[in-house]
Amino acid sequence: METFITHARGLTARIAGRREDQETFGRLAAGQSPLALFITCSDSRVVPSLITGARPGDLFELRTAGNAVPPYEEGAPAGAEAATIEYAMCVLGVADVVVCGHSHCGAVGAKARGEDLAELPAVREWLDRQLPDELPADDGPAVAAAVQRHVREQLRRLRDYPCVRSRLDAGEVRLHGWYYEVHTGLVAAHHAETDLFLPL
């Protein structure tokens, strides 16, 4: 924590010392206009701003265990994930949505391997509800095929949200599926025409 505290204490001084930063952070106070909704895993090794080079205000982020997008269910109580997606679509009007899975994902790996999660009932319930059952089981430590299968499913789920579907139909938003390798930094994007993930 000391490293974080030291950085936080110094942030004000760094901003005050640079006119460019003062103007940037001053604009942030007036409101947000992010370029994209970035849906990714809670995993600490996945840092959206590191992957994309985003500056403050560029990304509206949704982070869940296993970068899961809950299925849209009309009439069901809305969760934080659905509210975040709706806000990004209807209020912020983001032009792009990225679902970014990653190698060595603990959530996807646990589901794919059928691990015993009896000691983690909340995690077990989340994975049972949110991750597809049809994941490749023998996938190695990177679980690349399972993660990529999972990203495809999350893109499909996103299309079921009325707020997403209406903007897709109007040509106002684009969906992107990414796979990030934590051990190399490689980012591969899903190509619908071939159903493959290819390096950016």
Side-chain angles (χ1 to χ4, degrees), residues 65 117-130:
L117 299 174
E119 299 299 315
L120 301 168
V123 173
R124 182 187 64 219
E125 183 182 343
W126 173 260
L127 297 186
D128 284 347
R129 284 190 294 119
Q130 305 305 343

Side-chain angles (χ1 to χ4, degrees), residues 92-117:
L92 299 176
V94 297
D96 293 277
V97 180
V98 177
V99 177
C100 183
H102 67 95
S103 69
H104 304 86
C105 181
V108 173
K111 180 80 172 192
R113 292 187 290 268
E115 293 178 4
D116 180 5
L117 299 174

Side-chain angles (χ1 to χ4, degrees), residues 37-49 51 59-69 81 97-103 105 126 147 150-151 154 178-180 182:
L37 168 61
F38 200 91
I39 302 172
T40 195
C41 187
S42 305
D43 194 301
S44 62
R45 299 167 294 180
V46 180
V47 183
S49 60
I51 297 168
L59 296 178
F60 194 62
E61 296 181 25
L62 172 58
R63 301 188 70 145
T64 66
N67 55 271
V69 174
E81 300 84 13
V97 180
V98 177
V99 177
C100 183
H102 67 95
S103 69
C105 181
W126 173 260
V147 169
H150 176 58
V151 168
Q154 305 323 294
W178 284 9
Y179 170 72
Y180 171 64
V182 298

Side-chain angles (χ1 to χ4, degrees), residues 1-191:
M1 279 303 296
E2 284 306 314
T3 300
F4 302 149
I5 291 168
T6 300
H7 182 84
R9 285 176 177 156
L11 181 60
T12 303
R14 286 191 296 277
I15 292 171
R18 295 189 61 202
R19 183 175 195 81
E20 178 185 336
D21 286 341
Q22 291 171 27
E23 292 172 358
T24 297
F25 283 86
R27 283 194 299 273
L28 294 176
Q32 61 173 323
S33 183
L35 304 173
L37 168 61
F38 200 91
I39 302 172
T40 195
C41 187
S42 305
D43 194 301
S44 62
R45 299 167 294 180
V46 180
V47 183
S49 60
L50 176 67
I51 297 168
T52 63
R55 300 271 298 146
D58 287 347
L59 296 178
F60 194 62
E61 296 181 25
L62 172 58
R63 301 188 70 145
T64 66
N67 55 271
V69 174
Y72 176 77
E73 298 177 37
E74 189 170 352
E81 300 84 13
T84 299
I85 292 165
E86 183 178 76
Y87 193 81
M89 291 295 104
C90 300
V91 177
L92 299 176
V94 297
D96 293 277
V97 180
V98 177
V99 177
C100 183
H102 67 95
S103 69
H104 304 86
C105 181
V108 173
K111 180 80 172 192
R113 292 187 290 268
E115 293 178 4
D116 180 5
L117 299 174
E119 299 299 315
L120 301 168
V123 173
R124 182 187 64 219
E125 183 182 343
W126 173 260
L127 297 186
D128 284 347
R129 284 190 294 119
Q130 305 305 343
L131 273 66
D133 291 324
E134 313 80 27
L135 292 175
D138 186 15
D139 198 20
V143 290
V147 169
Q148 291 173 12
R149 162 73 178 82
H150 176 58
V151 168
R152 290 183 188 96
E153 171 66 14
Q154 305 323 294
L155 292 171
R156 187 195 64 73
R157 288 183 180 182
L158 270 174
R159 292 184 187 97
D160 288 339
Y161 280 71
C163 59
V164 175
R165 188 170 56 246
S166 64
R167 294 199 61 223
L168 280 170
D169 290 346
E172 297 172 348
V173 69
R174 294 174 298 270
L175 303 184
H176 310 269
W178 284 9
Y179 170 72
Y180 171 64
E181 284 190 348
V182 298
H183 55 298
T184 66
L186 173 75
V187 178
H190 180 252
H191 292 257

